[in-house]
Amino acid sequence: MQPYPVVRSRLVGVNIAPAERIATGLAGGAAIAFGVGQRSVRGMLLAGVGAIAMMRAISGRCPLYRSRAARKGIQVRRAITIQCTPQKAYEVWRDLANLPQFMTHVQSVTLEEGGVSKWVVKEGGKELTWRAELIEDTPARRLRWKSLPGGDISHEGSIDIRWATGDRGTIVEVKMRYFPPGGLLVASALYGFLRKLTAAQIGAELARFQQLIETGELTTGARRVRDLDEDDKAISAQQVSPLERALDIGTSAETSTWTGATNGATNGGAR
Amino acid sequence: MKAVVWHGKQDLRVDNVPDPSIVNPHDAIVRVTSTAICGSDLHLYNGFIPAMKPGDIIGHEFMGEIVATGPACETVKVGERVIVMCGISCGRCWFCKHELFSACDNTNPAGSQAALETLYGHAGGALFGYSHLYGGYAGGQAEYVRVPFADVGCVKIPAELSDEQVLFLTDIFPTGFMAAENCKIQLGDTIAVFGAGPVGQFAVKSAYLLGAERVIVIDAVSERLAMAAQQGAIIVDERHGDVIPRIEELTGGRGPDSVIDAVGLEAHGTGVGAVYDKVKQVMRLETDRTTALRNAIMVCRKGGTVSIPGVYGGLVDKFPIGAAFAKGLSFAMGQTHFHRYAKPLLAKVQAGEIDPRFIVTHRIALAEIPAAYKMFNDKQDGCIKVVAKVGT
């Protein structure tokens, strides 16, 4: 369940391919030489254009590409293969009440009039809300949604569902495109970080989605029910740096006495 | 309850900690009656496994009595005497359905999965008491253990068998057995086993059970070699110089048909290669020492199998891939699919084909476990396998 290979961003750093840089440089050089040779106003203008092309070739950074990339937002794709039918995967995802179970940072999803869903998410102690509308709903095949203007997060996404080969089950692929507050041009330095964060978050959500469908419970290393909250916090926070945060998932050291078979059993139940 | 708690490198203590509870519907709570120290626990003790956290309860070879079950448990019942597989498997994912239990998709929580994916590309299943890379589950060197997916991981034990007869079915016996099975033993085969620790000993036993003609065992600890010899193995003492020429001689210059590396990442080894590995490991340039594996590759016959039950965790260099290619070797390795072997091997124990008690050298109480780690690590007092009685 690896994130798909990162296509080098047009947003940060050098964003022109080597071949294009060489071609631009050659064209720019030719324009300068020809323009200066003309010894006319038009010639000088041509030489000016050539100089701009030359600069673009040398720096390797194109502001036009950059702003065009910013309009595309942060894009993430992740997929998982689950032992169930496409219909089952579709039904579990389509039922909004299920979503907060495996999207642990989602506090609630509620349905409003006209098929609009209202999302409340807790991220780093801050509550974020937005409304989203379903723009495609093909049973057992695809869901696409888009946030409505005016929310805290602007994004669009889809899940594609299809049979895997042989007996491997069903592939669920999530595609997300998301626009951070303030615009990506402002946040371009954080592009890689934000993309990783989003990919890790979706990866963890898909892993829990699989756990829920295949086993009916959410896996945890917690030793006791009372350790769960801490555990969940650690899990949702780990998306910043998986390996480091993995160190912090665990049990607290308070004292309590084990209350035996009957009491222990009543504590059960999927969270 | 009392439990063996990891506080840092070579710092284990028996602490009073809160008792576990049922957390998920498929959980059970097991009251431990016997637990053992595994060779792989020494990797934790020596700080070679990342993502350990002070406060973690360790230990993964344990058995006992079911004292509580979650609402979704169907086969395990309170009061039953069970052994608990040291790997945790859900029994429902594609990998479990294909008996690749240690590759379980679901038992590692999302956080540990992400970390393992970063390290290894994909995440396998969880283990009891074996770091937060493997789920952060509390281990079995304790009075009580929360056992997730108890229906899948617990095997009921008949009353006539003692704890010591069945305890090793949780880990080292299946591990030695799978290592031998991976050798695809044919009539007349000679199998070489590097490392005469507990897994090596069970590999010797299993190789003979599976029809090997001869088993050669390589180690540098006298009592381990003696135990292997008692099992009918031909022994090669590493302290008497380069082992490869001697194994060649024993196999008519042909090399063993398959070789088992039951040593893993803390190989002691001898010679230039061993010093090189030790220096690099200490300098954190290389995580695993591979003397045993290099020798295994060099000595194995053309077209043979190198089977690796020994644990590796990270990166190695000077890995003789050219030799492996030139000789057309096969490799078979990985965490044992414990659940696949427990019941068939239990049947062999019941039938009297094997008595796993031969391996036990030390019997102690829970409180003595930290001291026993030191003894086991330093190979003092002829220590090969330590079993702790827990509770009454």
Side-chain angles (χ1 to χ4, degrees), chain B residues 164-285:
Chain B
E164 278 182 19
Q165 278 177 294
V166 295
L167 179 59
F168 309 125
L169 293 169
T170 61
D171 181 4
I172 51 173
F173 186 10
T175 298
F177 191 85
M178 188 170 104
E181 195 184 70
N182 280 337
C183 294
K184 300 186 184 71
I185 294 169
Q186 304 289 313
L187 190 69
D189 270 6
T190 299
I191 309 296
V193 179
F194 282 86
V199 168
Q201 302 289 347
F202 278 110
V204 172
K205 209 78 166 181
S206 304
Y208 280 129
L209 277 174
L210 290 167
E213 182 82 23
R214 293 189 308 165
V215 180
I216 301 169
V217 170
I218 303 98
D219 203 300
V221 181
S222 304
E223 54 274 10
R224 295 181 171 213
L225 288 168
M227 185 182 271
Q230 260 173 21
Q231 294 199 67
I234 301 162
I235 59 171
V236 172
D237 192 331
E238 274 184 278
R239 292 166 299 187
H240 300 165
D242 195 356
V243 298
I244 291 181
R246 278 179 290 153
I247 302 170
E248 290 288 330
E249 200 179 305
L250 286 167
T251 53
R254 192 169 180 269
D257 296 284
S258 292
V259 184
I260 294 171
D261 169 9
V263 178
L265 62 85
E266 282 191 73
H268 293 98
T270 50
V272 180
V275 174
Y276 173 86
D277 281 339
K278 179 77 190 169
V279 168
K280 289 203 84 171
Q281 193 174 47
V282 168
M283 291 174 74
R284 306 263 170 201
L285 294 172

Side-chain angles (χ1 to χ4, degrees), chain B residues 63-148:
Chain B
M63 62 177 297
E65 185 198 337
I66 307 259
V67 292
T69 56
C73 286
E74 283 169 14
T75 54
V76 291
K77 300 272 178 286
V78 170
E80 275 177 359
R81 181 167 167 252
V82 294
I83 54 171
V84 182
M85 298 301 103
C86 72
I88 307 173
S89 303
C90 76
R92 292 156 180 85
C93 66
W94 187 89
F95 295 93
C96 285
K97 283 183 180 168
H98 288 77
E99 296 204 323
L100 299 166
F101 292 101
S102 70
C104 176
D105 257 348
N106 289 317
T107 49
N108 231 343
S112 301
Q113 277 199 5
L116 272 184
E117 278 166 14
T118 308
L119 281 176
Y120 299 148
H122 298 96
L127 299 167
F128 284 101
Y130 217 75
S131 91
H132 295 275
L133 280 180
Y134 289 95
Y137 291 90
Q141 286 164 14
E143 289 178 313
Y144 294 95
V145 184
R146 172 194 161 224
V147 177

Side-chain angles (χ1 to χ4, degrees), chain B residues 309-324:
Chain B
V311 174
Y312 290 92
L315 307 171
V316 299
D317 62 9
K318 301 285 182 288
F319 182 83
I321 187 71

